Amino acid sequence: MKTMQYEAGTFDVIVIGAGHAGVEAGLASARMGAKTLMITINLDMVAFMPCNPSVGGPAKGIVVREIDALGGEMGRNIDKTHIQMRMLNTGKGPAVRALRAQADKFSYQHEMKKTIEDEENITLLQGMVESLIIEDGECKGVVTQTGAGYLAKTVVITTGTFLRGEIILGELKYSSGPNNQQPSIKLSEHLQELGFDMVRFKTGTPPRVNSKTIDYSKTEIQPGDDTPRAFSYETTKYITDQLPCWLTYTNESTHQLIDDNLHRSPMYSGMIKGTGPRYCPSIEDKVVRFHDKPRHQIFLEPEGRNTQEVYVQGLSTSLPEDVQRRILNTIPGLEKAQLMRAGYAIEYDSIVPTQLWPTLETKKITNLYTAGQINGTSGYEEAAGQGLMAGINAACRALGKDEVILSRSDAYIGVLIDDLVTKGTNEPYRLLTSRAEYRLLLRHDNADLRLTDIGYKIGLIKEERYQSFNAKKEAIEQEKQRLQEIRIKPNVETQELIREAGGSELKDGILAYDLLKRPEMNYSHIKKLAPSEVELHPDVEEQVEIQTKYEGYIEKSLQQVDKMRKMETKRIPEDIDYDAINSLASEARQKLKEVRPLSLAQASRISGVNPADISILLVYIEQGKIARVSGDE
């Protein structure tokens, strides 16, 4: 363990790492008034995108909106630096719509670094943290490779895939962080010395090719949306000169070449030991697992406006470089493509996330928080969401304020953190809409209505933005009330408009509110039949339409939330002795002791804890003594 040779400074919060989790943690902490130190191995890699140059997508795009609604930076930054923006799933219901932006990875990185440097409460430092300063089970600071000691009230670790990172490319394996950066080895060893359970995970990246050597005439263009889009509720200037992406496919020749070289794949030779992400498999894994599929999609994504590098999305691989070159040349449009960077796999250490409280503070060491891929997740958005919450809670602890926990009905970020700390993960965790039981409530369009009050309360949403938000809320309610008071008559104009929309004619007058509930009707129809005297913002119109159309479903979801909230209020005493509860199943006892849930609701979500165990636990807590519940009872 590295020992402190000299004291170099004192702070409220120290953030180790400046990837997507680290930048959100550091900015949140500083903006809440905490004196913050951000230490990163390489200042040229702040907010770097070592893998896919994009932000958003299903579930993930909603997380970015939530980060923005709470006062985080990712949404604002991608709005300023993207090269393309698209709304996904527009033909489906609002619960699964999500925004996705293609990033200019270099502009994104430089803009985020500038934002951090302009933040007056942040000290940004290049350095390698090798150990933590621990006294009586509390984290008091960090020690760097040079022996410099930095003291703080709280510390947040956001080391991404750098902990004992190893890059694997064919038969080649070497110690490295992503993109050939210096790995963090001593800190990983130190965490193990402190008694943290660690796991070995793996992720990968595809090759990059030179755009000038691609024959785009053999591919399908994938343009951005014509409609101006933004992640941040503060964005008013939109980028209109978008760059297209391109779609092509693998084929039988590609698959045969992969099959013929599987013996050289680190995934199948046994060289890779870490567990990879099931929802983002390598191309060799896709070919083996889905052998009946004649082709797989390949998206060609520009990495920025001022580079010729193109990211070959869908071709993640760790096959040898010579095989990668031949694979590329089997794909339409890439027959003469020049390889600029080979794809690779990277293995790294993560901590088992059930060792964390829902605040992301470690159970083992007080005042120590972790966020991002160190907690077993994959993806920039999942990392940023955790980083934001860890930064908020580290600052709250340092400043003597109440910590913040988002519930599963508040946000996808709440689902993400609850899944990690309650269930753990045996592979790199990726957010999916199917993981959220209240996904109709957790929509792209209403992130501000769900979370802006929280962001304002903790000091991350400024007064001007909050007043604008309140005006929007009031406008939504006033318009819904207006539509409930206006009766539309079945005159010629009304009947014709309804027929054109594909609906059945009115037999009698109807409230505008009830007419809007019809599936074929939208707010633009209602505006023609019952025009408002006030010009409404498109976001207000969208909310009125969604809240009206889905009123019954939303109400049903809210009832389920209320039911679960009652269980959330049933707190489990911190000093509870699970061994004293004789009737608990042995597996339930073991899992409860490991996770140490804060409430009955959290306990009910632990794998291996069944409803009978929850009933026993409830009786025990309410009686304050051992409960023996028989099967007859």
Side-chain angles (χ1 to χ4, degrees), residues 11-41:
F11 298 85
D12 293 316
V13 177
I14 293 174
V15 178
I16 304 171
H20 301 282
V23 296
E24 294 294 349
L27 286 169
S29 166
R31 288 166 175 170
M32 290 171 65
K35 186 182 176 186
T36 304
L37 172 66
M38 290 181 65
I39 308 179
T40 183
I41 293 172

Side-chain angles (χ1 to χ4, degrees), residues 13 87 123 167 172 218 317 363 405 447 528 589 596:
V13 177
M87 181 67 79
T123 299
I167 282 181
L172 177 65
K218 295 181 179 179
T317 184
K363 296 171 181 175
I405 297 174
K528 292 177 182 177
R589 182 180 289 110
R596 290 156 66 192

